[in-house]
Amino acid sequence: MAVELTRLQSSAAVQAALDEFVRLGRTAFLSRYGFGKSRDFLVRDGRTGQLCDSKAIIGAAFGYQFPDEGPLKPSDFSGGEATVVPKLQRLGFEVVRIGEDWTAEEVQATVASYFEMLRLEAARQQYTKSEFNAQLRQQLRARSKGSVELKYQNISAVLHELELPFIPGYKPRSNAQLLLRQAVQQFVLDHPGLLSHVVDAMEEVKTPAQQTFHASVVAPPRLESVVQVKKDEPKPRLPRKMNWAQRDEANRTLGRAGEQWVIGFEQRRLTEAGYPELFQQLDWVSDRLGDGVGYDILSHERPGEHRFIEVKTTNGGHASSFIISRNELECAAEKEDAFHLYRVFQFREEPKVYILKGKLAEQLHLEPIDYRASFRRLVG
């Protein structure tokens, strides 16, 4: 019943089925849903690394997405390479042919290959992804080009979760095997010099004379639901200097360059809107008064209507996280639609920007990262 499988579009439903598989155990799970053991393909649970029977997971996941209809039975659809495998892969899960799981040596070779490309990317040196893929496959056990691509994307996802730079050409795909996650983290810890070089290189900024304001304005990233790490699971803790978002915030050279770029962007925007005279009234508040006002630039929407602009700049990609202060959040709530957060990204290469208007707390996932400690507490 292929038409049924096309309706299954929820990665969260698949993850829920995987969670149940791990919780119940293989025998109880297969018995509950009436499936036999997979003969050819298993799907990996990215949280635990456990391999689970692919067809049974799809059947159970359908019930999680459509609880009123319930799970699919084995007779409702065919499993295998033409149906279940591409469905799971499109939803971002790794599928393994039985007997062909990746070894520690293969994973380590893949991680080393990826970081060499990342080093070249940061140094802005030319390289060919397909050549790296082909060279790596010579060290692996008959892996396909597509399976190597997926592993590279998994590495991007792990780095993105650690708030470290990743190769833009390999869009993050989660659900990486535990062995791969551990290998990436170990590589980061074992090569602090390389990571510092990559971060420093990607924080390089352009002088005003080199900048262009013909940026394409894009939509902001979608707010995604992510699986929360269980409280009893240790959280990876990396050296402070490896925190990508905080390095962006601390790098005032980058921040100031981003604000200068937005000033040029505003000049062009106001001119094209038919209000070139309003640019003469623009106020670079953070340069004149310093941080703390809650926004960086006071511009205009139209005569008599202000636009309060907070600028966040990164050389990273579209979905890179950023630091925002409590003062900025309160300013956004106070100014409402007059408040605009300009997220300038890919600044080093070709700047792009997306804009968030109004109350930021309703558009972003906010995670506290620091606390002010004192010996006083507020009471009634």
Side-chain angles (χ1 to χ4, degrees):
M1 193 183 299
V3 66
E4 295 284 4
L5 291 190
T6 62
R7 296 172 58 202
L8 179 60
Q9 299 292 332
S10 171
S11 297
V14 175
Q15 185 61 57
L18 290 167
D19 291 342
E20 184 182 7
F21 186 104
V22 173
R23 185 174 65 253
L24 296 180
R26 185 182 195 187
T27 301
F29 183 88
L30 294 179
S31 175
R32 177 174 185 176
Y33 289 99
F35 285 83
K37 295 180 180 179
S38 292
R39 292 175 297 180
D40 298 308
F41 296 99
L42 300 172
V43 57
R44 189 184 304 282
D45 174 25
R47 296 186 190 175
T48 65
Q50 184 170 342
L51 294 172
C52 309
D53 299 86
S54 57
K55 186 176 181 181
I57 290 296
I58 285 289
F62 191 90
Y64 274 103
Q65 183 172 346
F66 304 105
D68 293 340
E69 299 179 42
L72 298 177
K73 300 186 293 293
S75 59
D76 289 337
F77 65 105
S78 61
E81 199 162 4
T83 54
V84 167
V85 171
K87 169 58 66 176
L88 288 167
Q89 290 175 336
R90 280 195 294 270
L91 291 175
F93 293 88
E94 180 186 3
V95 180
V96 176
R97 188 182 292 273
I98 291 176
E100 295 184 0
D101 198 9
W102 287 62
T103 66
E105 291 75 15
E106 288 181 305
V107 167
Q108 289 167 3
T110 305
V111 170
S113 173
Y114 182 99
F115 274 95
E116 176 59 18
M117 285 190 286
L118 182 60
R119 184 189 69 80
L120 295 173
E121 188 86 24
R124 307 180 75 175
Q125 296 182 21
Q126 294 293 325
Y127 68 95
T128 305
K129 294 184 178 67
S130 59
E131 291 181 1
F132 268 82
N133 189 306
Q135 292 170 4
L136 176 61
R137 279 184 280 128
Q138 295 177 8
Q139 307 175 52
L140 308 179
R141 298 188 309 174
R143 302 296 178 188
S144 68
K145 181 179 180 180
S147 65
V148 170
E149 291 282 312
L150 178 58
K151 271 290 189 283
Y152 284 150
Q153 290 179 291
N154 288 156
I155 295 172
S156 288
V158 176
L159 290 174
H160 184 49
E161 291 168 7
L162 294 174
E163 297 187 340
L164 291 171
F166 57 87
I167 300 172
Y170 289 117
K171 183 179 180 180
R173 293 186 66 171
S174 56
N175 300 293
Q177 72 183 107
L178 180 60
L179 181 63
L180 181 66
R181 292 178 179 275
Q182 293 171 335
V184 172
Q185 182 175 335
Q186 193 60 52
F187 192 98
V188 169
L189 295 174
D190 289 345
H191 300 82
L194 171 61
L195 263 294
S196 294
H197 170 75
V198 167
V199 171
D200 289 341
M202 296 186 77
E203 287 182 347
E204 178 188 3
V205 299
K206 297 178 179 179
T207 63
Q210 295 173 305
Q211 295 171 357
T212 173
F213 307 105
H214 295 263
S216 51
V217 180
V218 301
R222 292 186 302 171
L223 191 60
E224 299 179 356
S225 298
V226 296
V227 178
Q228 187 173 14
V229 177
K230 297 179 181 178
K231 292 184 178 180
D232 58 349
E233 293 181 1
K235 181 179 180 181
R237 302 191 185 279
L238 298 177
R240 187 77 166 187
K241 66 180 180 180
M242 294 302 179
N243 190 309
W244 182 235
Q246 289 185 354
R247 282 194 66 119
D248 269 0
E249 181 68 5
N251 188 339
R252 291 308 304 154
T253 301
L254 179 63
R256 183 176 175 83
E259 291 171 15
Q260 288 178 311
W261 183 90
V262 167
I263 289 172
F265 180 87
E266 281 297 285
Q267 182 177 22
R268 180 177 178 82
R269 181 185 67 81
L270 290 169
T271 300
E272 291 181 345
Y275 309 120
E277 70 283 357
L278 292 182
F279 181 70
Q280 303 304 316
Q281 304 173 31
L282 184 141
D283 184 3
W284 189 0
V285 177
S286 64
D287 184 60
R288 183 169 57 85
L289 301 177
D291 294 329
V293 179
Y295 58 92
D296 296 315
I297 297 168
L298 180 61
S299 184
H300 292 79
E301 195 70 41
R302 54 185 61 86
E305 186 175 338
H306 283 129
R307 176 180 285 207
F308 301 87
I309 300 173
E310 173 63 28
V311 183
K312 300 294 181 182
T313 308
T314 181
N315 285 318
H318 186 219
S320 298
S321 58
F322 55 90
I323 305 296
I324 188 164
S325 71
R326 177 177 177 178
N327 191 39
E328 291 159 358
L329 288 175
E330 291 175 348
C331 183
E334 175 188 333
K335 304 298 184 184
E336 298 185 332
D337 283 350
F339 184 93
H340 293 65
L341 186 145
Y342 281 37
R343 179 49 163 167
V344 183
F345 60 99
Q346 295 178 7
F347 186 72
R348 184 183 62 164
E349 302 295 334
E350 183 180 357
K352 298 184 187 303
V353 61
Y354 63 81
I355 300 173
L356 301 178
K357 292 176 57 177
K359 297 179 180 179
L360 299 177
E362 298 176 357
Q363 304 173 68
L364 299 165
H365 169 68
L366 301 172
E367 178 184 3
I369 58 173
D370 289 301
Y371 298 89
R372 181 188 302 277
S374 72
F375 295 94
R376 298 183 302 165
R377 65 175 179 176
L378 297 175
V379 293

